[in-house]
């Protein structure tokens, strides 16, 4: 059973338990016995259950995708822990409201106020990012609100901070580094240890200073990739001033560098890039459509749902019993069966996944159970990871729990993070 395939009755059980104000909420299974011990229910946990019940219903109705009970337990757990972090402003009413909004949402949209960053400490991505399935969205549905922690306070996620920015980072091996709340500053503004400089700038001598060489400096990189200050560019051999809005540009490969920051060369004129609203004429060059919209046939519009067999899904969303097939030019087709080539889980029929990580020719396949061989990390069933410690014979094993050793975040049970080689719970940074 995977996050993509579980009995619809589990959703009904979850909703019924929430309505009945159950006294317990499920927690992650014990790593030794795999039994799920009950813990005292809290208002926040009940609200988080409502949030994911709403999402599960939306996902099932719109995409035919189901979430299993183990994953649901973890989703409620991370939501509950996130709501309890210092500085987070998320009353149970707001969390439950997001669940109701999601349940009532169009199949081609989700409420932006209920989507947080895809990585801790990062800005929220586009709403459309979540319309292809549950894997990317599922841990990031939560009321978006400014936190209360001041600059310099230790934080796990940006939701805790007044500035909306936490300096938490991931290393190249996905190890997690704790951070502090920081205030974003623009070039020229004063900075210190509690601030972060925006754009191509860094804090030097107490001031955010732009990176790059001054006017007249020789170019040190290929044309169009200059080392000049932001208000300069490199058309030939030296850094020279950029053009102004309305100036003529030659539309060569360095033309966008020639125009001011925030402008592009279109129609041989430097023009300011603007955000298009629904119904606006667009070209994805000068007029780029806002979040959750696309430029389709020269007009900004939101995606539509329930596209039928053979219809385009380059922008729009297929009917729940169909899948968006990239092999045929992004058209809605029947789900792929076991053994058919694939690139994403959403292409496969219910009960199948696409283990595409580091695979040259992935095919839709049943997920591997505990103890079974695995060809890649994403080939294992929910709650399992592919352990390659035995050379040439990797098998699926339970993910690591709190306090267990980890090489990267993938080894830890969601919502745990890999901090200094040890799986740590949400809030590990705030507790330091």
């Amino acid at each position: 059973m995977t996050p993509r395939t579980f009995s619809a009755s589990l959703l009904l059980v979850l909703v019924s338990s929430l309505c009945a104000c159950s006294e317990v909420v499920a927690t992650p299974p014990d790593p030794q016995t795999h039994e799920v011990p009950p813990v005292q229910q809290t208002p926040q946990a009940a609200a988080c259950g409502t949030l994911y019940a709403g999402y599960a219903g939306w996902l099932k109705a719109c995409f035919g995708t189901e979430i299993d009970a183990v994953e649901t337990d973890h989703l409620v757990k991370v939501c509950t822990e996130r709501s309890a972090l210092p500085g987070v402003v998320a009353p149970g009413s707001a969390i439950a409201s997001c669940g109701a909004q999601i349940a009532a949402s169009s199949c081609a949209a989700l409420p932006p106020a209920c989507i947080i960053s895809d990585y801790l400490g990062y800005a929220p991505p586009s709403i459309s990012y979540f319309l292809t399935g549950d894997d990317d969205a599922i841990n990031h549905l939560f009321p978006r609100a400014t936190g209360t922690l001041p600059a310099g306070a230790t934080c796990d996620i940006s939701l805790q901070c007044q500035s909306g920015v936490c300096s938490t980072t991931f290393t190249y091996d996905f190890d997690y580094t704790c951070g502090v709340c920081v205030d974003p500053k623009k070039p020229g503004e004063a900075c210190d240890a509690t601030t972060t400089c925006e754009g191509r700038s860094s804090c030097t001598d107490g001031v955010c200073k732009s990176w790059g060489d001054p006017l007249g400096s020789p170019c040190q990189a290929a044309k169009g990739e200059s080392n000049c200050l932001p208000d300069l560019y490199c058309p030939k051999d030296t850094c020279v001033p950029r053009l102004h809005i309305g100036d003529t540009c030659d539309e060569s490969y360095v033309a966008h560098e020639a125009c001011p920051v925030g402008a592009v060369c279109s129609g041989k004129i430097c023009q300011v890039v603007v955000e298009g609203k629904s119904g606006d004429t667009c070209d994805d060059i000068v007029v780029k459509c806002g979040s959750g919209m696309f430029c389709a046939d020269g007009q900004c519009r939101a995606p539509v749902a329930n596209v039928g067999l053979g219809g385009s899904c380059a922008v729009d969303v297929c009917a729940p019993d169909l899948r968006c097939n990239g092999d045929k030019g992004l058209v809605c087709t029947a789900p792929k069966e076991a053994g058919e080539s694939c690139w994403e889980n959403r292409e496969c029929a219910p009960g199948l996944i696409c283990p595409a990580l580091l695979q040259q020719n992935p095919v839709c396949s049943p997920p591997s159970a505990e103890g079974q061989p695995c060809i890649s990390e994403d080939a294992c069933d929910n709650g399992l990871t592919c352990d390659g410690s035995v050379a040439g014979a990797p098998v699926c094993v339970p993910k690591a729990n709190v306090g267990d050793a980890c090489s990267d975040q993938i080894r830890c049970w969601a919502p745990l993070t890999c901090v200094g080689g040890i799986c740590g719970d949400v809030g590990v940074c705030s507790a330091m």
Side-chain angles (χ1 to χ4, degrees), residues 26-397:
T27 56
D30 182 276
Q32 302 299 322
T33 65
H34 301 286
E35 295 179 355
V36 180
V39 296
Q40 189 65 35
Q41 174 75 306
T42 67
Q44 295 296 92
C48 288
T50 300
L51 171 65
Y52 286 108
Y55 179 66
W58 178 85
L59 198 66
K60 170 66 176 176
C62 293
F63 295 90
T65 304
E66 298 179 338
I67 312 170
D68 73 17
V70 176
E71 183 70 6
T72 298
D73 292 341
H74 281 281
L75 294 172
V76 173
K77 180 177 184 290
V78 68
C79 172
T80 305
E81 292 179 338
R82 183 182 286 132
S83 68
L85 289 175
V88 171
V89 180
S93 58
I95 298 173
S97 175
C98 275
Q101 291 179 58
I102 291 167
S105 292
S106 157
C107 290
L110 285 172
C114 300
I115 297 176
I116 61 172
S117 61
D118 53 334
Y119 291 109
L120 301 179
Y122 283 63
S126 168
I127 301 167
S128 61
Y129 184 72
F130 295 129
L131 297 180
T132 58
D134 65 312
D135 286 350
D136 293 319
I138 210 160
N139 287 314
H140 312 293
L141 298 176
F142 196 77
R144 193 193 305 177
T146 301
T148 62
L149 296 186
T154 302
C155 55
D156 294 82
I157 57 176
S158 293
L159 284 177
Q160 297 174 263
C161 304
Q162 292 176 356
S163 65
V165 180
C166 179
S167 64
T168 47
T169 61
F170 284 96
T171 60
Y172 286 111
D173 60 358
F174 294 100
D175 203 5
Y176 180 68
T177 302
C178 291
V180 297
C181 293
V182 291
D183 286 327
K185 299 292 183 181
K186 292 179 170 50
E189 294 184 327
C191 58
D192 55 29
T194 63
T195 60
T196 181
C197 295
E198 295 182 331
R200 296 174 56 193
S201 65
S202 57
C203 192
T204 305
D205 299 327
V207 177
C208 286
K209 294 184 178 179
S210 296
W211 304 338
D213 294 330
L215 182 68
S217 298
C219 298
Q220 299 175 12
K223 284 192 249 183
E225 301 175 356
S226 74
N227 53 286
C228 309
L229 286 168
D231 59 343
L232 307 174
Y233 82 115
C234 184
K236 293 183 180 179
D237 302 314
T238 59
C239 295
V240 301
R242 289 180 183 244
L243 302 176
H244 299 93
I245 301 298
D247 284 353
T248 300
C249 49
D250 62 9
E251 292 191 305
S252 69
Y253 69 101
V254 295
H256 294 329
E257 286 284 331
C259 294
V261 175
V264 294
C265 182
S266 181
K268 297 187 177 181
I269 299 292
C270 284
Q271 302 182 53
V272 176
V273 176
V274 297
E275 182 177 294
K277 298 179 175 58
S278 181
D280 288 352
T281 300
C282 57
D283 57 9
D284 267 342
I285 300 174
V286 175
V287 182
K288 295 187 176 183
C289 301
S291 178
M293 291 188 295
F294 299 85
C295 186
D297 299 322
Q299 188 176 60
C300 289
R301 68 170 176 85
V304 297
N306 298 315
V307 174
L309 186 68
S312 172
C313 51
V315 170
D316 300 320
V317 180
C318 299
D321 59 337
L322 301 177
R323 298 292 185 269
C324 190
N325 191 329
D327 296 340
K328 298 185 178 180
L330 294 175
V331 297
C332 296
T333 64
K336 294 182 177 181
E337 300 298 333
E340 292 189 75
S341 63
C342 61
W343 290 106
E344 297 180 277
N345 290 329
R346 65 184 175 126
E347 299 177 61
C348 302
L352 303 177
I353 61 173
C354 184
L357 188 64
L358 302 180
Q359 299 302 308
Q360 289 186 339
N361 299 296
V363 297
C364 293
S365 315
S368 298
E370 183 176 351
Q372 290 183 336
C374 47
I375 58 175
S376 63
E377 180 64 47
D378 56 347
C380 296
D381 205 345
N382 184 43
L384 304 176
T385 184
C386 190
D387 181 14
S389 58
V390 179
V395 296
C396 294
V397 298

